[in-house]
Amino acid sequence: MDNSIETQALLDDFGPIRQLGHVVEDIQASITEWTQQGIGPWLWLRNVKLPCTFEGESSLPVIDVALSYRGDMQIELIQQINDAPSPYLQTVKSCSYGLHHQAFLCDDIHKDVQRAEGMGLDVICDIRMLGSRYVYLQVTRGKQKAYVEFLPASLMMKTMIKHGVAASHKWQGKGEPMVVDLKNMFTLLGSVPAVGKAWLSQR
């Protein structure tokens, strides 16, 4: 069996792909480029700290993240703004910007991670943030390597997706990105309702 077909067959067991994540060199320029292609509106989260274990060592990458939707598919743009070890930094160092990972939404992320490991996927980055877990796994088949991410199907995650999808369906191509600065990560909890209303009001 072809490696890419075999890999996709493994991943299909975790349900539909919910997100396509891209690592970019300049997030503002990338938002503009995607907007010109008819994707919007955008939620831009700045200074997102990701306490994690990467390749067995503690790390704290800081990233800017922009989110929008094509239909029900979440489009994620990521720019790392420090030099902490992470899956993104590997992409930056190799200058191989573009599609970085596909992500799946998990009702029980701990069980799904265990199941994925049993299928031969390797946990490369384990993020613990705001009581939730976000996990990057690496799929290796011969010389082929690819990242997948497991996202928790938490109330906060489902609320953000619900508001984002609704906003993209109503969007008429106007408006600047909604920017939320998360130097204090806990401000995200209070920001979700306000961001949702602001997103839905955009045209």
Side-chain angles (χ1 to χ4, degrees):
M1 181 182 291
D2 179 80
N3 283 338
S4 60
I5 296 174
E6 182 181 358
T7 297
Q8 192 57 55
L10 282 175
L11 299 177
D12 286 345
D13 198 50
F14 296 99
I17 299 169
R18 301 301 301 273
Q19 178 200 89
L20 296 176
H22 301 74
V23 173
V24 302
E25 186 173 12
D26 183 328
I27 197 166
Q28 188 163 18
S30 295
I31 291 172
T32 299
E33 182 179 346
W34 280 82
T35 300
Q36 291 171 348
Q37 295 176 24
I39 305 299
W42 289 91
L43 170 62
W44 182 356
L45 304 175
R46 303 189 64 186
N47 297 300
V48 181
K49 297 178 181 178
L50 302 178
C52 68
T53 301
F54 175 70
E55 295 186 333
E57 301 290 336
S58 295
S59 188
L60 187 63
V62 182
I63 62 174
D64 277 8
V65 181
L67 301 171
S68 191
Y69 295 82
R70 183 190 290 271
D72 293 338
M73 178 71 71
Q74 186 181 81
I75 305 298
E76 180 184 46
L77 309 178
I78 301 168
Q79 180 183 354
Q80 184 161 339
I81 57 177
N82 70 351
D83 60 357
S86 76
Y88 324 117
L89 193 65
Q90 291 181 332
T91 297
V92 173
K93 287 182 176 179
S94 64
C95 295
S96 53
Y97 297 104
L99 183 62
H100 178 263
H101 64 267
Q102 53 189 6
F104 301 85
L105 206 60
C106 302
D107 289 321
D108 189 329
I109 196 167
H110 307 297
K111 286 185 178 179
D112 280 343
V113 168
Q114 290 179 341
R115 190 155 55 95
E117 288 181 304
M119 300 165 111
L121 282 72
D122 300 315
V123 173
I124 192 168
C125 188
D126 198 335
I127 301 165
R128 306 295 177 112
M129 183 173 63
L130 294 175
S132 293
R133 186 183 184 193
Y134 306 78
V135 180
Y136 282 92
L137 302 102
Q138 192 171 67
V139 184
T140 304
R141 292 290 180 270
K143 294 183 179 180
Q144 181 188 28
K145 291 186 178 181
Y147 287 120
V148 297
E149 183 182 15
F150 286 175
L151 302 169
S154 63
L155 176 61
M156 184 176 72
M157 180 66 67
K158 290 188 287 188
T159 299
M160 290 183 70
I161 291 174
K162 177 182 176 181
H163 286 317
V165 169
S168 70
H169 288 167
K170 294 178 62 177
W171 187 62
Q172 297 179 17
K174 299 180 181 179
E176 296 297 318
M178 171 62 57
V179 180
V180 179
D181 196 323
L182 299 176
K183 286 184 178 179
N184 178 358
M185 195 62 189
F186 290 97
T187 61
L188 178 57
L189 293 173
S191 298
V192 169
V195 168
K197 291 179 182 177
W199 236 357
L200 288 170
S201 70
Q202 294 200 41
R203 296 290 186 273

